[in-house]
């Protein structure tokens, strides 16, 4: 008979245990708080204005407080492609304490800004008005602002 020799088992190399990374907490994205813009003035209305008696291409600005009272002395800056000018409300008290105007050149586009923190009102140009007799003439643009904060 043949003898069978039992060989000892072959050792297999075992890997040392590895550190399993623990799950990490993920933070949800947060919104960065943004400050609400603070404007010196709010535009209440913007309208074309035709006056058959005056017939001037004006930017007319009226400025009121929260109670609707006219505000004289408000600086208004007018910009256009080739320049800048300005005026102050209240210089024509016979019209209104809050009234100010600027004469436009027909065919030129303007923007108006009150204060330093109020966005400009752009795209202003003299509209074409039609008189009672049917004759066209350049009209005005009337802006009403309210002081706010």
């Amino acid at each position: 008979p043949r003898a069978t020799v039992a060989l000892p088992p072959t050792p297999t190399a075992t890997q040392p245990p590895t550190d399993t990374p623990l799950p990490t907490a993920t933070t949800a994205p947060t919104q960065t708080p943004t400050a609400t813009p603070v404007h010196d003035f709010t535009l209440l209305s913007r309208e074309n204005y035709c006056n058959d008696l005056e017939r001037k291409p004006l930017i007319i600005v009226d400025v009121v407080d929260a109670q609707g009272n006219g505000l004289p002395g408000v600086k208004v800056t007018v910009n256009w492609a080739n320049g800048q000018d300005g005026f102050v409300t209240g210089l024509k008290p016979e019209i209104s304490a809050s009234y100010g105007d600027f004469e436009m050149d027909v065919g030129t586009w303007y923007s108006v800004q009150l204060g330093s923190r109020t966005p400009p009102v752009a795209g202003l140009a003299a509209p074409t008005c039609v008189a009672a007799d049917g004759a066209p003439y350049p009209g005005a643009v009337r802006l009403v602002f309210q002081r706010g904060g």
Side-chain angles (χ1 to χ4, degrees):
R2 287 175 101 181
T4 326
V5 179
L7 296 175
T10 331
T12 55
T14 58
Q15 296 290 339
T18 58
D19 290 334
T20 304
L22 297 174
T24 57
T26 56
T27 57
T30 58
Q31 290 186 341
T32 305
T34 56
T36 303
V38 176
H39 302 307
D40 296 320
F41 300 91
T42 301
L43 179 65
L44 295 181
S45 68
R46 171 184 177 166
E47 63 187 2
N48 290 342
Y49 178 76
C50 297
N51 182 342
D52 281 3
L53 299 176
E54 194 158 328
R55 297 187 186 200
K56 287 187 178 177
L58 299 174
I59 293 174
I60 297 170
V61 174
D62 275 302
V63 185
V64 297
D65 64 14
Q67 290 74 39
N69 301 313
L71 291 175
V74 176
K75 184 178 182 226
V76 179
T77 303
V78 181
N79 290 291
W80 61 98
N82 299 320
Q84 180 182 60
D85 202 349
F87 61 91
V88 182
T89 60
L91 296 180
K92 296 184 179 179
E94 69 278 7
I95 297 175
S96 165
S98 63
Y99 177 94
D101 65 29
F102 174 85
E103 190 162 348
M104 297 182 277
D105 289 330
V106 175
T108 300
W109 292 92
Y110 296 86
S111 68
V112 167
Q113 185 170 14
L114 279 67
S116 60
R117 300 180 300 178
T118 301
V121 178
L124 304 174
T128 300
C129 297
V130 179
D133 64 4
Y137 67 92
V141 177
R142 182 171 182 257
L143 306 172
V144 178
F145 290 89
Q146 183 176 47
R147 182 172 59 192

